[in-house]
Amino acid sequence: MAQKKIRGLGLNKQYPGRLIVVEGCDGSGKSTQLHLLRVWLQSQGYPVVFTEWNSSAIVKQATRRAKRKELLTPTTFSLIHACDFADRYEKVILPPLHAGCIVLADRYVYTAYARDVARGCDLQWVRNTYRFAVQPTIAFYFHAPLEVSISRILFGRPSLKYYEAGMDTGLSLDPVESFKLFQGRIKDQYDRMARQEQFEVIDATRSIHETWGEVQKVVQEKLADYEPPKQN
Amino acid sequence: MAQKKIRGLGLNKQYPGRLIVVEGCDGSGKSTQLHLLRVWLQSQGYPVVFTEWNSSAIVKQATRRAKRKELLTPTTFSLIHACDFADRYEKVILPPLHAGCIVLADRYVYTAYARDVARGCDLQWVRNTYRFAVQPTIAFYFHAPLEVSISRILFGRPSLKYYEAGMDTGLSLDPVESFKLFQGRIKDQYDRMARQEQFEVIDATRSIHETWGEVQKVVQEKLADYEPPKQN
């Protein structure tokens, strides 16, 4: 599989597996699509490994405690997520790739680029921190107007978490208003990346079924040359 | 106070306080000297803040748990310490500096440069991670032959911890042997930095009293123009 190096990501190591990541604002429907993809790939007997953002056992507790205290600065916030990612990357993502599996990641380094820069970190500093990560086979960007993704999140949501709403950025004292402004900043970052990185941009305004059709088509194309590891 | 920018450290922010850090291999006697310095400065009525490596409340527990599991790769190990440092830096080091205090740090970014590179991380990657940190007023490097520092550590020490001995580097299956080899690598990094950074190199083979005399002399010179904040 030919892989071009994305500037900012580490020298691309070759591996027999495939890495598919989904990116986008909260409420863009990316997780739903990744779930459909997971079920579909498994139904075809492919070895699939799933991993999601901010879920490493080692730093999960620290992150939760730190967030509860609402004491993180952008730098610490960025590094604590980099820790989490590095831990998952080296234990959950890389080994299966080398074993020839298909790894599905709900959010990858681009989430850090978008959120950390939206919080005020320097983009090059953040990119360098994640330099060790390999380029994904497919990076889906689920693109939807801000109003759409925001209304999907706020619909029936009792309250927004402090960092989720970007309250630490001081954009607004009103959580909902802050969330909207913060998501706007994140979307700006994603849109910028969409012009620089090799994103597969997906129109996320359509129905789950329509969107899935497009996702499935891209995956079929990109995985045409994929061969699962021999089961002896 | 004139401060030159050390390559790798962030653009140097100006602050009315002073930052004095001690670096060197374990057993170099740097902590003892920093303690003497702390007592001496306080006895003169200076506002002194003390901080040490790897002690941030937020990530301390995560680090301990992670280390206990002996599951950290060099990248994760590096980032978890960067988290700890960033947290302490922004809460314990920077505010007092801006308030005009003298901050004493037992180990600073150079410890990360030395240890992470000794573990196999890329030096420029590590330096970039710590780019946000300001250059210290004085960076003492307590230099002693490996045998001296190692014997000080091993003397009466029941056992060495897994990472302390650098067992994760696979240098040797014998903790003591591994510790010696790992400390050797760290010393090589410090000696390299001593040629590049503006270290105050202290001969750490002499008695505590003799060494203290030299430390005190350097501090008196470098703090000649220091004025503590007015107490109104």
Side-chain angles (χ1 to χ4, degrees), chain B:
Chain B
M1 175 187 58
Q3 290 194 335
K4 292 211 194 71
K5 181 178 174 298
I6 289 183
R7 187 167 46 78
L9 284 188
L11 278 172
N12 189 56
K13 302 119 193 157
Q14 287 301 323
Y15 46 83
R18 298 292 187 271
L19 174 60
I20 303 176
V21 311
V22 294
E23 293 279 356
C25 292
D26 297 333
S28 62
K30 55 178 176 37
S31 303
T32 307
Q33 293 297 326
L34 195 63
H35 173 71
L36 291 172
L37 180 57
R38 179 186 194 175
V39 172
W40 177 60
L41 290 170
Q42 283 171 333
S43 72
Q44 296 178 70
Y46 289 135
V48 178
V49 172
F50 172 81
T51 179
E52 57 191 330
W53 193 251
N54 200 19
S55 58
S56 148
I58 283 185
V59 295
K60 204 170 190 173
Q61 211 173 322
T63 318
R64 210 183 296 117
R65 192 167 53 250
K67 285 182 178 176
R68 202 167 47 235
K69 287 187 181 161
E70 297 174 4
L71 282 173
L72 296 174
T73 64
T75 308
T76 326
F77 194 86
S78 173
L79 287 170
I80 218 165
H81 283 88
C83 261
D84 179 278
F85 178 82
D87 188 50
R88 276 189 307 115
Y89 180 76
E90 292 169 329
K91 298 204 193 100
V92 184
I93 298 177
L94 212 47
L97 285 180
H98 286 297
C101 303
I102 299 175
V103 178
L104 304 180
D106 192 340
R107 299 194 171 283
Y108 196 57
V109 299
Y110 311 104
T111 289
Y113 299 171
R115 290 183 178 174
D116 293 351
V117 171
R119 284 205 150 78
C121 292
D122 172 71
L123 175 60
Q124 286 312 316
W125 177 77
V126 179
R127 292 180 75 104
N128 186 87
T129 307
Y130 287 87
R131 216 171 65 184
F132 56 85
V134 296
Q135 173 184 347
T137 314
I138 311 173
F140 284 109
Y141 169 34
F142 289 77
H143 181 273
L146 212 50
E147 316 79 69
V148 175
S149 52
I150 286 177
S151 60
R152 283 176 183 166
I153 289 294
L154 298 181
F155 177 74
R157 174 85 68 108
S159 73
L160 291 160
K161 300 198 191 85
Y162 183 82
Y163 287 98
E164 177 186 33
M167 297 293 284
D168 58 309
T169 58
L171 287 167
S172 167
L173 291 173
D174 169 49
V176 173
E177 187 56 26
S178 173
F179 178 72
K180 291 177 180 174
L181 293 167
F182 186 53
Q183 288 294 314
R185 281 192 182 184
I186 290 172
K187 183 175 182 304
D188 293 343
Q189 289 302 316
Y190 273 125
D191 292 343
R192 179 188 52 72
M193 282 189 265
R195 295 187 296 272
Q196 299 173 350
E197 317 277 2
Q198 297 162 329
F199 281 169
E200 290 289 338
V201 182
I202 301 288
D203 173 2
T205 59
R206 298 161 304 166
S207 72
I208 291 176
H209 183 75
E210 286 174 304
T211 310
W212 165 241
E214 190 181 347
V215 169
Q216 193 178 30
K217 191 166 154 296
V218 173
V219 173
Q220 273 169 327
E221 283 171 20
K222 298 271 185 175
L223 262 58
D225 61 350
Y226 169 66
E227 282 172 16
K230 309 242 176 320
Q231 311 285 343
N232 296 334

Side-chain angles (χ1 to χ4, degrees), chain A residues 162-201:
Chain A
Y162 182 82
Y163 287 98
E164 178 185 33
M167 297 293 284
D168 58 309
T169 58
L171 288 166
S172 167
L173 291 174
D174 170 48
V176 174
E177 188 54 28
S178 173
F179 179 72
K180 290 177 179 173
L181 293 167
F182 186 52
Q183 289 294 316
R185 281 192 181 185
I186 291 172
K187 183 174 182 304
D188 292 343
Q189 289 302 316
Y190 273 125
D191 292 343
R192 179 189 51 72
M193 282 189 267
R195 295 187 295 271
Q196 298 174 349
E197 316 279 0
Q198 297 162 330
F199 282 168
E200 290 289 338
V201 182

